[in-house]
Amino acid sequence: MRYLPLTPEDRTEMLGVIGVSSVDALFADVPQAARLDGPVNLPRRATELEVERAFAAMAKKNVAASETAFFVGAGAYKHHIPASVDHLIQRSEFLTAYTPYQPEISQGTLQTLFEFQTQVARLTGMDVANASMYDGSTACAEAVLMAARVTKRSRAVLSGNLHPHYAEATRTLARYMNIDVAADAPVPGGLDDVISQIDEETACVVVQNPDVFGGIHDLRPIAEAAHAKGALLIAVFTEIVSLGLIESPGAMGADIVVGEGQSIGVGLQFGGPYVGLFACRNDKSFIRNMPGRLAGETIDADGRRGYVLTLSTREQHIRRDRATSNICTNSGLMALAFTIHMTLLGEKGLKHLAALNHERAVELADALGGVPGVTVETGAFFNEFTVKLPKNAAAVTEALIAKGVLAGVPASRLWPDGGLDDRLIIAATETNTDADIALFASALKEVL
């Protein structure tokens, strides 16, 4: 017998308090096309062996990144991850560790988070970093909310070259916090004029560097313009490896730096789980308004070094209306993988990895630029750039799959109505070989 704690009268009373007529009305925001209009189309029963075979057959329909010439980026990148990373994160000391509420039995976890924060602060050129976020897009949204709290303003300016998934996540959270979000159209090969949109009501300006098309920009003029109006500059990145080669956002005047750390220690994993990075400058109002948690170093009663959760300003710890974040704790296991991989690389290793990525991308851009009808639009780039094709980019991408090349992300997939049907965003990393690049160029020539 099923246990149903609520009576029909209880449900009716609850719906009345909420102000809706039925349970179905609670799903009004879910598009009709996404709703199930009948029973789930699954067999009533199957053996474990039958289920395994069925899932294996479905998995074979995928084209794995390791099985083809892979040039897909636009927010998630294929990098080599040493086997030692996976081995170490599966050690029982880490794998069974949970939220470090009791510092006396969580020193290993807390020290790892402290090291992680140090690495993120060094990479971004900032003073303080938190213990991670869910991913880059939610970190971006949280940064805008933080800027609104710090400045006590309610307007955010987003660059048109910010990844649209990051922009959409930001709009979703900002909508319920009564923050007005302004954004221009994307500009492949350039950057929209965000400076002209800054006014006395602007809390922050959000600019991605390298941007979604791969372009690298000097953030100093934007930082100066924002600060002149009392606004903050939020710098965003999707490719953390780029900070091994290009100037850090902190050095260019950013107040808050957020982004995706997936490229270090974390595989593609069908889109997640990933690890969001969040850092800011050393200002009391900034630190008090940071989302997530912050691990700090201290000494115990005997004078020995120890680690504790210095700040945990989330609703699980404090009053909900005082919380800085209601969506995130931290991405603990992925932060651990990031920390281990970064430790293995070291400063020299990261710079070398970044140089390899840039070299591969330059070689690929030169090869594709030599194909008749193809124009490389991105001037200065790290390991990602955008090309303009004489045909529909989505159709070209589909044709290239048949030739063993996953060529990139058509811009029309990110902006379906943006008039960018002929643009293709392409990434190259240290995993791409000379043979991959030659195959891409020859296959593209044939398809065009």
Side-chain angles (χ1 to χ4, degrees):
M1 185 176 75
R2 295 176 65 194
Y3 173 66
L4 301 175
L6 300 177
T7 66
E9 291 75 19
D10 291 333
R11 293 191 181 89
T12 300
E13 182 181 355
M14 292 168 69
L15 291 171
V17 172
I18 296 171
V20 295
S21 59
S22 67
V23 173
D24 290 340
L26 299 174
F27 298 90
D29 290 332
V30 179
Q32 193 67 41
R35 300 187 203 179
L36 189 66
D37 57 2
V40 178
N41 184 24
L42 289 173
R44 296 276 299 179
R45 64 190 63 82
T47 66
E48 183 176 341
L49 181 59
E50 290 172 327
V51 173
E52 288 176 353
R53 285 173 176 167
F55 280 127
M58 293 168 63
K60 288 181 180 178
K61 296 179 181 179
N62 290 323
V63 178
S66 59
E67 298 173 353
T68 186
F70 189 84
F71 298 94
V72 179
Y77 304 89
K78 179 190 174 187
H79 290 281
H80 172 70
I81 301 172
S84 50
V85 173
D86 190 53
H87 171 76
L88 289 171
I89 67 172
Q90 292 189 61
R91 287 184 61 90
S92 60
E93 301 97 317
F94 292 124
L95 198 60
T96 60
Y98 187 55
T99 304
Y101 293 133
Q102 297 172 275
E104 63 271 18
I105 60 171
S106 303
Q107 284 301 291
T109 299
L110 287 164
Q111 181 174 353
T112 301
L113 292 177
F114 186 82
E115 299 291 353
F116 168 84
Q117 293 169 180
T118 304
Q119 291 172 344
V120 174
R122 289 282 301 277
L123 283 165
T124 57
M126 304 303 287
D127 302 312
V128 185
N130 74 6
S132 78
M133 308 292 288
Y134 276 152
D135 58 18
S137 62
T138 51
C140 179
E142 291 278 17
V144 170
L145 267 58
M146 173 179 160
R149 292 191 297 269
V150 170
T151 62
K152 295 179 172 55
R153 297 179 179 182
S154 59
R155 183 172 182 270
V157 176
L158 309 186
S159 167
N161 286 15
L162 175 67
H163 196 297
H165 295 173
Y166 286 50
E168 195 60 33
T170 300
R171 290 190 184 94
T172 299
L173 265 69
R175 170 187 172 189
Y176 297 102
M177 301 301 291
N178 297 316
I179 298 173
D180 177 52
V181 176
D184 269 343
V187 182
L191 185 66
D192 53 311
D193 183 14
V194 293
I195 292 178
S196 64
Q197 299 187 60
I198 304 172
D199 58 25
E200 283 72 15
E201 298 301 317
T202 302
C204 59
V205 183
V206 184
V207 182
Q208 182 176 329
N209 188 50
D211 66 28
V212 68
F213 298 106
I216 296 174
H217 308 286
D218 183 1
L219 302 182
R220 290 181 183 84
I222 302 173
E224 292 170 1
H227 296 157
K229 296 284 187 177
L232 306 182
L233 172 62
I234 298 174
V236 179
F237 57 85
T238 59
E239 173 55 291
I240 182 66
V241 177
S242 67
L243 297 183
L245 200 61
I246 67 175
E247 193 166 12
S248 71
M252 290 189 279
D255 300 289
I256 305 172
V257 181
V258 295
E260 179 56 63
Q262 171 268 326
S263 290
I264 302 294
V266 183
L268 289 169
Q269 300 177 168
F270 297 96
Y274 285 170
V275 54
L277 310 182
F278 195 112
C280 68
R281 53 187 174 86
N282 187 14
D283 183 288
K284 185 176 180 180
S285 65
F286 280 48
I287 296 172
R288 284 289 180 183
N289 280 287
M290 282 183 75
R293 53 165 62 117
L294 195 67
E297 182 182 297
T298 185
I299 56 173
D300 66 10
D302 297 321
R304 295 174 301 185
R305 182 171 62 174
Y307 300 91
V308 295
L309 281 183
T310 303
L311 288 174
S312 292
T313 51
R314 62 188 186 123
E315 66 175 32
Q316 191 171 333
H317 288 127
I318 62 177
R319 293 199 306 273
R320 185 175 188 179
D321 59 322
R322 303 270 302 181
T324 59
S325 173
N326 298 322
I327 68 167
C328 186
T329 305
N330 68 290
S331 193
L333 188 63
M334 299 301 103
L336 172 63
F338 178 100
T339 305
I340 292 171
H341 192 184
M342 185 60 69
T343 302
L344 291 170
L345 283 170
E347 184 176 350
K348 290 182 179 179
L350 178 64
K351 290 180 177 179
H352 180 61
L353 176 62
L356 288 175
N357 274 252
H358 181 58
E359 289 169 8
R360 294 277 82 181
V362 170
E363 291 165 2
L364 178 62
D366 289 342
L368 299 184
V371 177
V374 176
T375 303
V376 177
E377 286 195 319
T378 312
F381 57 84
F382 171 61
N383 69 350
E384 193 165 26
F385 56 89
T386 300
V387 297
K388 184 176 182 180
L389 304 175
K391 293 183 178 181
N392 182 282
V396 170
T397 303
E398 288 296 321
L400 287 170
I401 291 175
K403 296 183 178 294
V405 179
L406 282 175
V409 178
S412 59
R413 184 173 176 179
L414 300 176
W415 297 276
D417 303 313
L420 300 173
D421 294 352
D422 56 354
R423 297 324 203 280
L424 183 63
I425 303 170
I426 302 167
T429 71
E430 79 283 358
T431 63
N432 293 118
T433 65
D434 291 340
D436 291 339
I437 294 173
L439 175 62
F440 191 173
S442 62
L444 181 61
K445 187 174 182 180
E446 291 176 16
V447 168
L448 294 180

